């Protein structure tokens, strides 16, 4: 791919917004790190983000929006979320909230979870892009999975240059440490990942509103540890039993096909008839939800090769198939 770099004194943000509208990927600066952005409501664009990063699993992504009102149009407001939003947005803070029933964010963006991650960044360039685009932009840090987060456009080019359509260069990020991720979906808030807003500041803000910061366990609550949903073996489990690598449907099974193995059952679902891993990733969580919703006893999934996003697809399917805790 021919990746363009645009300085912010050009018409970069209009171009970037058009690329997002057409399902493309744009790396853009925030005050924490550069993000690898795609339309959060377009599962194909979100699948392309995972493919570009080479993430071995579908870790849920943060959706970025321009205003606090826009955030609460997508996630259900709680007292804790309102207090934290008023104190720290726009800024380096991400809130986990229950999705509103009409929330258009793709299920792949939240890796199939019922709760979504929302952030209103403070960076002027990020704000311009989000305003111009008008919808939520899903963005993990713009680095290949497992590598150091990028704080300059040059880092993005070095790590992901071939996989993005456009990199907006607005100089180095001021913070370089990622946003603080806080579960504010319930009556007490919990810090899931330490970051740009301190726990002292969060506790003080909640206390002033008569609310509590729930303690995590004392193991240090490192990022991506127990509370990170992707790590829990059976977290993605549907109500039905899930069986992987099914080549022939049995009675009572909703078979989700892939490649040469077609779907079977009430819905006739196929992750990707063409055997394309990115298309399959985009469909995965929607189809699991759909199969569950028709009340199948067993959901079967045809074999998906472990190549490209197949690794992440199989990781999630193994978790969904794991014995329930
Ligand atoms: O500063 C930042 O947060 C940067 C910029 C680009 O905004 N983004 C970033 O994204 O660091 P990422 O994908 O590297 O980290 C997202 C974190 C992960 O720890 C993920 O588990 C958590 O947010 N997360 C996202 N959605 C979640 C959800 N629905 N429930 C719980 N945790 C979630
Ligand atoms: Mg990251």
């Amino acid at each position: 791919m021919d990746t363009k770099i645009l300085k912010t004194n050009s018409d970069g943000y209009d171009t970037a917004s058009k690329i997002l509208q057409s399902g493309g990927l744009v790396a853009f600066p925030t005050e924490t790190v550069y993000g690898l952005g795609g339309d959060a409501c377009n599962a194909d664009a979100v699948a392309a983000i995972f493919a570009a990063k080479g993430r071995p699993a579908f870790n849920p992504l943060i959706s970025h929006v321009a205003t606090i009102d826009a955030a609460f149009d997508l996630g259900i407001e709680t007292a804790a979320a309102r207090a934290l939003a008023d104190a720290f947005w726009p800024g380096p803070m991400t809130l986990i909230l229950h999705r509103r029933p009409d929330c258009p964010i793709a299920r792949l963006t939240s890796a199939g979870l019922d709760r979504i991650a929302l952030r209103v960044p403070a960076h002027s360039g990020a704000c311009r892009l989000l305003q111009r685009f008008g919808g939520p932009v899903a963005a993990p840090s713009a680095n290949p999975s497992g590598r150091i987060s990028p704080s300059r456009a040059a880092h993005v080019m070095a790590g992901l240059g071939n996989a993005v359509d456009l990199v907006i260069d607005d100089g180095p990020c001021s913070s370089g440490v990622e946003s603080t991720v806080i579960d504010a979906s319930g009556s007490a808030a919990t810090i899931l990942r330490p970051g740009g807003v301190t726990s002292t500041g969060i506790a003080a803000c909640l206390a002033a509103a008569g609310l509590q910061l729930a303690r995590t366990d004392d193991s240090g609550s490192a990022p991506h540890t127990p509370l990170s949903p992707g790590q829990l073996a059976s977290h993605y489990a549907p109500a039905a039993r899930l069986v992987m690598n099914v080549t022939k449907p049995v009675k009572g099974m909703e078979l989700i096909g892939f490649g040469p193995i077609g779907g079977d059952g009430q819905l006739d679902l196929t992750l990707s008839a063409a055997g394309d891993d990115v298309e399959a990733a985009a469909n995965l969580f929607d189809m699991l939800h759909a199969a569950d919703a028709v009340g199948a006893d067993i959901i079967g999934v045809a074999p998906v090769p472990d190549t490209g996003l197949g690794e992440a697809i199989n990781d999630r399917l193994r978790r969904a198939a794991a014995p329930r805790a």
Side-chain angles (χ1 to χ4, degrees):
M1 189 182 295
D2 205 11
T3 306
K4 283 198 238 102
I5 302 197
L6 283 178
K7 298 276 184 192
T8 45
N9 57 3
S10 70
D11 61 352
Y13 290 101
D14 272 338
T15 310
S17 170
K18 286 190 187 117
I19 290 172
L20 291 175
Q21 271 154 18
S22 66
L25 303 186
V26 172
F28 66 98
T30 80
E31 69 275 29
T32 60
V33 297
Y34 273 75
L36 174 60
D39 180 354
C41 302
N42 177 342
D44 295 308
V46 175
I49 294 176
F50 285 111
K53 278 188 70 88
R55 273 201 182 184
F58 297 126
N59 208 344
L61 303 180
I62 299 169
S63 294
H64 299 72
V65 289
T67 64
I68 295 178
D69 285 349
F72 290 133
D73 280 345
L74 298 164
I76 295 174
E77 185 178 326
T78 62
R82 174 47 70 176
L84 292 167
D86 287 344
F88 300 112
W89 273 345
M93 177 183 75
T94 295
L95 295 181
I96 308 297
L97 300 176
H98 286 286
R99 62 160 69 221
R100 289 174 61 115
D102 55 352
C103 174
I105 289 176
R107 290 201 179 268
L108 182 61
T109 306
S110 58
L113 298 170
D114 288 330
R115 291 181 294 174
I116 52 174
L118 295 162
R119 176 172 171 221
V120 181
H123 189 280
S124 62
C127 294
R128 270 170 76 186
L129 177 63
L130 293 170
Q131 270 156 9
R132 207 66 59 90
F133 178 62
V137 173
S141 47
N143 53 297
S145 187
R147 305 264 291 279
I148 302 165
S149 288
S151 55
R152 291 171 181 275
H155 299 161
V156 180
M157 284 306 286
L160 293 177
N162 290 330
V164 293
D165 299 289
L166 177 72
V167 180
I168 295 177
D169 183 358
D170 200 2
C173 301
S174 53
S175 155
V177 66
E178 284 100 334
S179 63
T180 306
V181 179
I182 307 169
D183 180 353
S185 62
S187 52
T190 311
I191 298 177
L192 304 187
R193 177 180 78 176
V197 173
T198 65
S199 59
T200 321
I202 293 161
C205 161
L206 292 169
L211 299 163
Q212 272 202 325
L213 179 60
R215 287 198 68 81
T216 53
D217 67 80
D218 290 324
S219 65
S221 67
H224 309 294
T225 43
L227 289 160
S228 196
Q231 315 302 319
L232 301 173
S234 68
H235 201 103
Y236 293 84
R241 192 157 71 83
L242 190 133
V243 184
M244 295 174 70
N245 300 316
V246 175
T247 50
K248 269 209 193 93
V250 298
K251 201 163 170 284
M253 175 183 276
E254 192 66 43
L255 175 62
I256 302 177
F258 180 85
I261 296 173
D264 192 272
Q266 291 183 58
L267 298 172
D268 219 358
L269 301 168
T270 293
L271 289 173
S272 167
D276 179 68
D277 60 314
V278 179
E279 185 188 4
N283 285 328
L284 179 67
F285 293 112
D286 279 336
M287 291 188 175
L288 291 177
H289 275 275
D292 227 14
V294 295
D297 294 332
I298 311 172
I299 300 173
V301 184
V304 177
D306 243 339
T307 48
L309 289 186
E311 200 185 344
I313 292 170
N314 286 324
D315 170 86
R316 284 306 186 256
L317 289 174
R318 266 192 299 277
R319 291 172 199 277
R324 311 292 158 82

